[in-house]
Every structure is written in C-alpha cells, then in structure tokens.
Amino acid sequence: DAKTTQPPSMDCAEGRAANLPCNHSTISGNEYVYWYRQIHSQGPQYIIHGLKNNETNEMASLIITEDRKSSTLILPHATLRDTAVYYCIVRVKRRDSSYKLIFGSGTRLLVRP
Amino acid sequence: NAGVTQTPKFQVLKTGQSMTLQCAQDMNHEYMSWYRQDPGMGLRLIHYSVGAGITDQGEVPNGYNVSRSTTEDFPLRLLSAAPSQTSVYFCASRKTRETYEQYFGPGTRLTVT
C-alpha cells in the first residue's frame, strides 16, 4: 500500500498562506490523494482530494506534482481556527471495490497570532 | 441531521470486561467503519461495512467484533477488554463505498485498566 510522509510540525502566521507538503512516492496511477484535518481531539474532517490535476474548494487548494510523487495543501489565509493536525492520505482500492484511507502521522500546524 | 453520533464519550473498563461502543448515522449512508487512534498516531481501520448485513476486517480487527443489522447502526464490541485496547475510537460513514467524503463521529475515549 502507498504510504505518505509529512513533516511532524509546521507553523505560520495568521493571515498568511500555510503550505503543507506531502510525499507519496509509491502512489499508484489510480490512487487518489486525500487531505483531512483533526482539530484538537475531534473526529477528522475532510478537506479536499485529487488524482492528477490541481484542485480548489472553499477550504483549500491541492497542488499535485506532475509525477504525482508529492503534493502540497495550501490554506490561502490561515486563521487561528486552522490550528490542527493535517493528514495526507492515499486512498487504496480493495478487492471488493470499496476504498480504504491509509492515515499517516500527520503534520501538526500551529497558526500564530 | 445529527450526522454520525457515538456513545459513550468516555469509558473505563477493567481487563476482561466486555462492552459495546455505539455508532449511528442518520444520513442513509451505506458505508460505515471503525477506527482507533493511539497517542501521536494516525487512525487505523478496525472493521468496516459496505451495507447492512455485510462487514469485513480492516488493519487491526483482533479483539473486536461488529455487526450491521440496519443501515443506521454499526456497533463495535469488545469481548474481553485488554489494556492494549486503550485508545480513542472513531466511527465514520460515507454515502457509498466509492464516495470521497467521509464523515467522522466525535469519538469515544476508552481506558482499560
């Protein structure tokens, strides 16, 4: 199964962009990259996902390199409420056609006032 | 919609005791799953279900049983609790096995002494 590598922690100033990197060098061609975040001890929250193209939604942007071996999650204007652990995840297809999300250790993002 | 609900929020068990963690969703989602999260780690999949009457094992199923008699409910049973099962347990659901967005419950913090 593909695995992801993320820095254990990062910080950024409030109002600035937060760029969270992720390596997934063993990803297969049909495996999606997902990002979730976990605020304090709550359940994880879906942010965004992508396969090959860059994606943007109301929460964030996802930039995937052309070789798909790495990606970057961008929070364009980080707020204090964005302080959380961010998980970069590869979605792997099972034999029964369902999908599983393989969580790594994540990046703890601290947004400073 | 209440989303994904879990009870209890906190539980302390003695070694060898049994208990059931409850999970329910009111979004008519076909797919439900249970994860455990240990300190400083990502989530690991225990069991999952792609629909009522169908369950399957995840990465760490030993010591846990599940059943899915209705679409709404997906209880997790610990038959004989062990200290190694001390963890935070999250239930999650998504509309179908292929749907990209997964919704997590608030978690149950279990301590086994």
Side-chain angles (χ1 to χ4, degrees):
Chain A
D1 290 343
K3 289 171 67 173
T4 60
T5 305
Q6 299 176 253
S9 63
M10 294 182 66
D11 64 68
C12 75
E14 188 178 18
R16 305 298 294 267
N19 298 295
L20 291 88
C22 178
N23 285 326
H24 32 77
S25 58
T26 60
I27 195 169
S28 298
N30 59 351
E31 291 174 341
Y32 282 75
V33 177
Y34 281 62
W35 284 82
Y36 277 73
R37 72 180 182 183
Q38 188 172 25
I39 296 173
H40 196 44
S41 302
Q42 298 175 21
Q45 175 192 23
Y46 166 83
I47 301 173
I48 199 167
H49 75 285
L51 182 63
K52 295 179 188 174
N53 301 322
N54 298 338
E55 302 287 345
T56 295
N57 63 20
E58 64 277 4
M59 287 182 70
S61 295
L62 175 60
I63 309 297
I64 303 175
T65 58
E66 198 166 332
D67 63 7
R68 300 211 327 120
K69 293 186 176 181
S70 65
S71 60
T72 301
L73 178 75
I74 301 172
L75 308 178
H77 306 285
T79 70
L80 299 180
R81 284 176 292 184
D82 291 323
T83 291
V85 177
Y86 287 77
Y87 293 100
C88 171
I89 299 157
V90 171
R91 189 186 80 162
V92 176
K93 192 171 185 177
R94 298 190 187 98
R95 276 175 285 185
D96 66 359
S97 296
S98 67
Y99 293 94
K100 62 180 176 181
L101 302 178
I102 302 175
F103 283 78
S105 302
T107 295
R108 186 172 298 276
L109 175 69
L110 175 64
V111 180
R112 295 177 279 104
Chain B
N1 286 351
V4 180
T5 57
Q6 291 183 237
T7 55
K9 281 192 167 58
F10 301 94
Q11 182 71 49
V12 179
L13 289 179
K14 287 187 165 53
T15 298
Q17 285 185 316
S18 63
M19 81 158 295
T20 299
L21 307 186
Q22 301 292 345
C23 174
Q25 52 88 12
D26 61 357
M27 298 173 282
N28 200 30
H29 285 177
E30 292 179 1
Y31 186 100
M32 296 184 74
S33 53
W34 276 101
Y35 293 84
R36 61 177 287 174
Q37 184 174 33
D38 300 308
M41 296 180 67
L43 280 72
R44 291 184 293 168
L45 182 66
I46 305 172
H47 285 286
Y48 69 97
S49 167
V50 299
I54 307 168
T55 63
D56 210 338
Q57 296 180 350
E59 302 170 68
V60 288
N62 292 341
Y64 307 95
N65 278 354
V66 291
S67 59
R68 185 93 180 272
S69 55
T70 67
T71 299
E72 294 78 20
D73 301 298
F74 191 43
L76 178 73
R77 277 182 284 277
L78 284 71
L79 299 177
S80 178
S84 60
Q85 294 179 303
T86 293
S87 189
V88 181
Y89 290 85
F90 289 101
C91 179
S93 76
R94 57 185 193 246
K95 189 163 179 56
T96 68
R97 65 181 75 188
E98 291 93 8
T99 307
Y100 53 83
E101 185 169 357
Q102 184 153 271
Y103 297 84
F104 285 82
T108 293
R109 189 174 295 273
L110 175 68
T111 302
V112 183
T113 60

